[in-house]
Amino acid sequence: MIVDFTLIAESLPIMLKGIGITFQLLIISGFLGLILAIFLLLMRISGKWYLSFPAQIYIYVFRGTPILVQIFIIYYGLPQFGFIRSSILWSILREPMGCAIVALSLNTGAYVSEILRGGVLAVGKGLIEAGSALGMSAYQKFVYITAPIATRIALPAYSNDVISLLKSTALASTITIADMTGIARTIVANTYAPYEIFISLAIVYLIFTFILQKLFGYTEQYLGRYTKREG
Amino acid sequence: MSEQSKKYLIQMKNVDKYFGEFQALKNINLEVERKERIVICGPSGSGKSTLIRCLNRLEKHNKGQVFIDGNELTDQIKDINAVRREVGMVFQSFNLFPHMTVVKNLMVAQQLVRKISKADAKQRAMHFLERVKIPEQANKYPIQLSGGQQQRVAIARALCMKPKIMLFDEPTSALDPEMINEVLEVMVDLATDGMTMICVTHEMGFARSVADRIIFMDLGEIVEESKPSEFFGNPKNERTKNFLEQILTH
Amino acid sequence: MAALNGWWDDYFWGALVIFQVFFCSLGFMIIFGLLGAIAKLSANKLAHKVANAYTVAFRGTPEILVILLMYFGSAIFLTAVAQLFNPEVKFVDIPPFWAGTIAISLIVGSYATETFRGAFLGVNPGSIEAAKALGMSDIQTFVYIRIPEMWRIALPPFGNHMLSLIKDTALISIIGLNETMFVAKQAITVTGKPFTMYIVVGAIYLGFSTVVTLSVMGLEKFGERTTAGVK
């Protein structure tokens, strides 16, 4: 089989035009998802059932269903209701981009809150007791002891989730969004050259994954500076 | 607040503590006066650690009363942290905050709990680091220190809060033999200074030379309570004798 | 809910397809994962490199790209081969079921590679030494010590891999697999109730996820029976 390099050379710049959309999806949903995750985490560790139970249900539902189904429910499903179309949310949900960001944020929030919770649970009990023995309040213990240590512990898993989110942004192409994958699918439909187009696009994604991993690697090293004996 | 409970720095009256079905403390009565130095010993699982952890409410007792400087520890207590900052505690496993340098470990609670300015907190931190003889380690992280050094930092951290009483929960049990003495020296120094102390420890040399009273516990009860000379010279209880034989002739 | 009348049997058959994809891909996923782990642990440099390339590529590329590439790529290839023999042939493809099943098992298998490798390395060397010191043969050590310990380490992440397989099934609808997403699409064109139809899809997936989660929890309990009560 002959690989058509001219086609790749012509198509790559066109696909890369979708990079802005891919990044918007990644960064906005990543940020909103993280905020949501922190809220869910605080609800779950609050020790109050009327806060932790709803958070648990939310996480269970969003982790137990495919992200594609969530995107379709929000994009195709919600307009079924008149009250949604007449609400202020409509300005966001009317746009495919708005729907994709909402769906990705809601989804990643559920996963990230579980990751953060893992970090919180992994903080040594002795350290919390030391904080108590020094008379620190629950809030002070969380902010000064639990949170910084949990952040370090949770970071590797969190970086994996950000990479998952990057991969999930490609699903925006299923609701007419022209991100990199969306553009690639259009090109393939016209040229019928899936190998050239999809593989070169896969390499683009791999490069971004690699960059993300490096960035998180440096952050991990910085946050973990106190775990090495040699200063 | 009764006059009697104000007289003692610590008072425990008929205290019971359960972990599920298991009774860890059985009818504990204990009074500690100001400047008294108490050593608690006994076999593992005898309730020694549980007893001192009830004194700053890391464990909640189920029955009886606990008074710290006249304040009763109950569920209703408004600010347990106001009591805790008067009670310093040193743990078997040090429990230094790994993500903070040594000096930050000493400063954080001063600033947050005592509301002391950063400069003053630092000055006090350095003062106590000098007292435990490791001021040069101030800017290292805990993991870069030896066990003995870490435990001395932990003692300094508790002292920075200017507590009225210090609780030691087997402070030398996790240490290599050559590091035990450097920690004991600091503790003896504190005792000489007039600090009220309750130490759970198996260091009988320390108990003999420092303690005003030695308490022997077994199976959640206080079995014997006496002065060191009596305790070592003429133990009354059979269980105490057995324990001493085992620990002194190993 | 009246809109759902007449669609239940279609949803049932769609759910059955999810179930079939799950079982087939589970088998392939275990095979890919074990092969990957063995290659990564082997002293053979080439095997090591191939396995590394495999995990990097499949963990860093969006799932949807892998599925599209597997389906359209194989179709191009098969069509080209078929035309060698019979120029009349216009289009030959692998059924979406198999293209999708292989695609998602390759994707999840790349994660399982790390799980199996980690489990193999996670076995306490002390217990292996102890077994040897007791005079156990290599095979005995492997069967009675290594496998049970590996199993316990690998089970929780393995449960997550099974959930990924279930959820990734939804993505295969993009290349025309007639599972529940596909059913919903048809139902929507008739009834005009997208929310209702996709919520049913979500509920079906949630049901599958719940069954998988509960089974894994049961297995974990079983695996922990030897450590239960030990603190």
Side-chain angles (χ1 to χ4, degrees):
Chain A
M1 214 173 307
I2 308 130
V3 178
D4 188 346
F5 284 105
T6 39
L7 178 67
I8 294 178
E10 281 168 11
S11 312
L12 256 185
I14 307 175
M15 285 192 276
L16 286 175
K17 279 187 188 153
I19 211 171
I21 304 251
T22 298
F23 271 112
Q24 274 181 40
L25 288 167
L26 176 68
I27 290 166
I28 300 177
S29 318
F31 177 73
L32 295 176
L34 185 59
I35 306 249
L36 173 63
I38 293 170
F39 268 105
L40 289 168
L41 169 74
L42 293 176
M43 286 167 78
R44 278 211 70 176
I45 62 175
S46 66
K48 303 196 170 57
W49 70 268
Y50 53 87
L51 291 176
S52 84
F53 187 66
Q56 249 170 299
I57 293 284
Y58 176 90
I59 292 165
Y60 169 69
V61 169
F62 274 83
R63 292 189 355 140
T65 51
I67 168 84
L68 189 65
V69 177
Q70 293 160 19
I71 292 175
F72 279 21
I73 288 177
I74 289 169
Y75 179 69
Y76 293 115
L78 289 184
Q80 181 180 326
F81 303 106
F83 67 87
I84 291 206
R85 273 176 281 142
S86 53
S87 75
I88 44 165
L89 286 176
W90 187 239
S91 57
I92 296 168
L93 295 173
R94 186 175 56 192
E95 303 292 335
M97 209 41 199
C99 289
I101 287 172
V102 168
L104 290 171
S105 311
L106 293 177
N107 182 270
T108 195
Y111 283 90
V112 172
S113 94
E114 280 299 275
I115 291 169
L116 297 181
R117 184 165 153 270
V120 166
L121 293 180
V123 176
K125 195 167 142 271
L127 296 179
I128 311 297
E129 282 188 346
S132 303
L134 288 167
M136 292 166 84
S137 70
Y139 170 79
Q140 289 169 336
K141 280 182 280 185
F142 187 79
V143 171
Y144 292 92
I145 305 174
T146 309
I149 297 176
T151 308
R152 171 181 65 77
I153 298 173
L155 198 69
Y158 179 67
S159 77
N160 283 336
D161 197 80
V162 172
I163 288 163
S164 289
L165 179 62
L166 170 67
K167 296 197 291 177
S168 297
T169 61
L171 294 177
S173 68
T174 59
I175 53 170
T176 74
I177 292 174
D179 71 323
M180 294 195 295
T181 305
I183 297 172
R185 290 175 71 182
T186 317
I187 299 175
V188 171
N190 295 331
T191 60
Y192 218 68
Y195 282 113
E196 285 88 347
I197 303 299
F198 287 148
I199 290 180
S200 49
L201 180 59
I203 291 169
V204 173
Y205 276 105
L206 285 177
I207 292 169
F208 287 135
T209 310
F210 179 77
I211 294 172
L212 279 176
Q213 274 168 339
K214 280 278 164 223
L215 286 177
F216 276 107
Y218 291 132
T219 319
E220 254 170 66
Q221 263 175 14
Y222 174 72
L223 289 181
R225 65 200 178 285
Y226 58 83
T227 58
K228 294 177 191 67
R229 279 177 186 276
E230 302 309 319
Chain B
M1 198 184 294
S2 71
E3 267 314 299
Q4 201 203 359
S5 58
K6 186 74 184 164
K7 182 182 155 205
Y8 298 109
L9 198 43
I10 286 179
Q11 190 175 31
M12 298 178 92
K13 284 185 184 170
N14 310 320
V15 170
D16 284 353
K17 167 73 191 169
Y18 291 87
F19 292 110
E21 296 282 293
F22 175 72
Q23 187 169 7
L25 294 180
K26 293 174 191 159
N27 195 30
I28 299 290
N29 286 286
L30 176 69
E31 280 109 26
V32 181
E33 289 179 36
R34 273 159 236 278
K35 302 205 171 181
E36 234 191 326
R37 293 158 306 214
I38 309 243
V39 163
I40 305 178
C41 60
S44 65
S46 60
K48 322 176 287 277
S49 292
T50 309
L51 190 153
I52 67 168
R53 287 163 64 87
C54 283
L55 295 178
N56 63 354
R57 223 168 160 70
L58 287 179
E59 303 290 354
K60 293 178 184 174
H61 55 280
N62 301 104
K63 237 189 81 194
Q65 290 173 295
V66 178
F67 296 92
I68 305 290
D69 202 10
N71 297 308
E72 186 177 0
L73 302 186
T74 61
D75 275 336
Q76 281 78 41
I77 191 160
K78 268 197 238 101
D79 192 1
I80 181 63
N81 292 326
V83 176
R84 280 175 173 164
R85 67 186 174 217
E86 309 299 340
V87 181
M89 186 167 204
V90 176
F91 299 86
Q92 182 177 352
S93 51
F94 329 138
N95 293 347
L96 294 179
F97 304 129
H99 59 302
M100 298 176 188
T101 58
V102 164
V103 66
K104 278 269 186 281
N105 259 282
L106 270 60
M107 289 164 64
V108 61
Q110 295 188 59
Q111 290 177 263
L112 294 176
V113 181
R114 288 273 191 209
K115 311 286 179 204
I116 291 172
S117 76
K118 191 175 174 185
D120 290 350
K122 182 153 192 178
Q123 201 187 0
R124 196 187 281 183
M126 290 313 295
H127 168 76
F128 282 105
L129 276 182
E130 262 160 47
R131 185 140 181 212
V132 300
K133 302 184 187 78
I134 36 174
E136 73 283 359
Q137 310 287 356
N139 292 314
K140 289 196 179 167
Y141 285 105
I143 199 174
Q144 296 164 331
L145 271 53
S146 74
Q149 290 173 326
Q150 289 193 45
Q151 194 59 298
R152 285 188 278 156
V153 173
I155 294 173
R157 178 173 70 178
L159 290 176
C160 279
M161 301 299 285
K162 297 263 168 87
K164 292 183 178 144
I165 180 164
M166 286 284 284
L167 309 174
F168 291 84
D169 188 3
E170 304 204 29
T172 56
S173 302
L175 296 176
D176 293 333
E178 73 269 21
M179 293 174 185
I180 290 177
N181 276 332
E182 62 184 64
V183 172
L184 289 180
E185 272 169 32
V186 170
M187 290 168 65
V188 170
D189 186 41
L190 260 182
T192 333
D193 231 35
M195 173 63 79
T196 313
M197 296 164 73
I198 302 183
C199 312
V200 172
T201 181
H202 290 146
E203 293 300 326
M204 289 301 131
F206 173 80
R208 201 192 287 266
S209 60
V210 171
D212 296 313
R213 248 192 304 162
I214 299 183
I215 290 169
F216 174 73
M217 288 184 73
D218 192 20
L219 303 170
E221 296 172 305
I222 295 183
V223 174
E224 184 153 352
E225 191 177 345
S226 51
K227 289 197 157 46
S229 52
E230 245 174 88
F231 185 81
F232 291 106
N234 183 24
K236 292 178 213 96
N237 195 292
E238 206 49 40
R239 283 192 268 178
T240 320
K241 280 180 198 162
N242 285 339
F243 175 75
L244 282 173
E245 259 166 42
Q246 281 179 10
I247 205 160
L248 295 174
T249 59
H250 55 85
Chain C
M1 290 306 271
L4 283 162
N5 282 338
W7 292 102
W8 287 117
D9 52 335
D10 298 84
Y11 275 118
F12 173 78
W13 295 117
L16 197 63
V17 172
I18 296 178
F19 189 70
Q20 289 168 328
V21 172
F22 172 69
F23 259 87
C24 297
S25 59
L26 183 61
F28 283 115
M29 179 265 270
I30 293 174
I31 294 171
F32 293 139
L34 283 177
L35 286 177
I38 291 167
K40 280 206 169 183
L41 290 165
S42 84
N44 186 322
K45 275 212 173 109
L46 181 69
H48 195 90
K49 279 213 170 101
V50 170
N52 262 343
Y54 165 58
T55 49
V56 168
F58 281 87
R59 292 173 60 151
T61 313
E63 295 84 352
I64 179 177
L65 270 188
V66 178
I67 291 170
L68 289 170
L69 186 64
M70 185 66 63
Y71 179 65
F72 290 111
S74 64
I76 293 252
F77 179 74
L78 288 178
T79 308
V81 172
Q83 280 170 344
L84 289 180
F85 298 99
N86 180 1
E88 301 288 293
V89 175
K90 288 264 161 43
F91 186 79
V92 184
D93 68 347
I94 300 185
F97 181 95
W98 289 109
T101 299
I102 299 290
I104 67 173
S105 2
L106 278 170
I107 295 164
V108 182
S110 69
Y111 290 88
T113 295
E114 296 300 341
T115 300
F116 292 147
R117 192 184 79 101
F120 196 83
L121 295 175
V123 175
N124 177 7
S127 12
I128 306 292
E129 268 180 16
K132 284 187 179 146
L134 288 167
M136 289 170 75
S137 71
D138 284 353
I139 293 176
Q140 285 170 328
T141 310
F142 191 80
V143 174
Y144 293 102
I145 310 297
R146 202 183 271 281
I147 295 277
E149 245 187 89
M150 270 182 70
W151 179 239
R152 247 196 318 254
I153 299 170
L155 195 58
F158 191 78
N160 284 334
H161 300 333
M162 293 205 280
L163 287 178
S164 298
L165 283 180
I166 283 282
K167 289 183 283 179
D168 284 351
T169 309
L171 298 176
I172 308 178
S173 67
I174 292 168
I175 53 171
L177 180 72
N178 54 349
E179 53 83 68
T180 50
M181 288 289 267
F182 188 82
V183 174
K185 211 177 204 173
Q186 289 178 310
I188 290 161
T189 49
V190 177
T191 62
K193 299 262 188 233
F195 186 82
T196 319
M197 295 304 165
Y198 282 125
I199 282 290
V200 174
V201 176
I204 291 171
Y205 274 104
L206 196 59
F208 275 118
S209 300
T210 307
V211 172
V212 170
T213 309
L214 290 178
S215 323
V216 171
M217 274 167 63
L219 283 173
E220 273 176 42
K221 273 254 165 64
F222 180 73
E224 276 163 8
R225 72 201 183 287
T226 50
T227 49
V230 179
K231 281 190 184 166

